[in-house]
Amino acid sequence: MRKKSKSIGLILAGLAVPVMMTSWGLAQPGKFTSPSEGYIPHLGEIMSAIQARHVKLWYAGKAANWDLAAFELRQLKANLVDAARLYTGIPVSNVTTMAEPMQSVEAAIGAKDARRFSQAYAGLTEACNGCHVSMQRPFIVIHAPTEPQPLGDQSLSPQHRP
Ligand code: HEC
């Protein structure tokens, strides 16, 4: 088990670095000690968070809100790294197959290229479903969001504040 989590760590190094940077920026040790420290979210909860980010990522990309898209992708990666770390029963290959599609989405966001973004997003979504199928969850079928837009309490378009 120890060996396995090490290899996940290594293979996901590209994913884990921005995640670690994010937590370094936000979690200031000793400053905010959460009462829920030690709480282990159920895999389904992590996946529900991933789902929300997958949706926001899509609308942010569609709205050319590249900063938000980059943020949502980072959050999604962090959730996935959590899933791999907390649920060591998940086959390593199921997690690592996400790395390439995520890098493609990242590259499309960096290039602010809407067409590449749509293609890369489709690849990412396919990888979600690939894992669901291989983990006896073929009934959890993910696709790009369709209207009407959910999460109606957050503006997913760029805000032009004066
Ligand atoms: C490494 C494997 C894996 C990957 C990759 C993965 N999932 Fe999942 N997902 C699961 C498993 C396993 C479950 C079932 C969890 C359970 O039984 O509680 C699940 C459940 C879900 C659920 C149902 C949650 C609920 O409780 O209703 C959603 C939605 C979901 N995943 C979305 C996604 C999306 C979106 C992606 C891609 C961005 C993704 N998943 C990638 C393994 C994966």
Side-chain angles (χ1 to χ4, degrees), residues 3-60:
K3 193 172 171 225
K4 187 185 163 191
S5 38
K6 193 181 168 203
S7 58
I8 288 183
L10 283 178
I11 300 164
L12 288 184
L15 306 179
V17 166
V19 168
M20 279 158 58
M21 281 168 61
T22 306
S23 39
W24 176 78
L26 293 179
Q28 299 172 16
K31 226 175 170 192
F32 305 105
T33 20
S34 155
S36 62
E37 212 173 297
Y39 163 73
I40 297 180
H42 190 277
L43 183 56
E45 306 313 323
I46 298 177
M47 285 293 153
S48 294
I50 288 182
Q51 179 178 27
R53 271 132 197 182
H54 181 258
V55 169
K56 289 188 200 179
L57 175 62
W58 173 255
Y59 286 113

Side-chain angles (χ1 to χ4, degrees), residues 42-55 57 76 80 83-84 90-98 102 121 124-137 139-143:
H42 190 277
L43 183 56
E45 306 313 323
I46 298 177
M47 285 293 153
S48 294
I50 288 182
Q51 179 178 27
R53 271 132 197 182
H54 181 258
V55 169
L57 175 62
L76 197 156
L80 203 64
I90 298 176
V92 176
S93 59
N94 283 21
V95 181
T96 51
T97 49
M98 296 296 286
M102 282 205 273
Y121 186 93
L124 174 69
T125 308
E126 211 179 294
C128 304
N129 290 326
C131 188
H132 294 155
V133 168
S134 79
M135 295 196 70
Q136 289 76 51
R137 305 294 194 284
F139 47 85
I140 301 174
V141 181
I142 305 297
H143 53 72

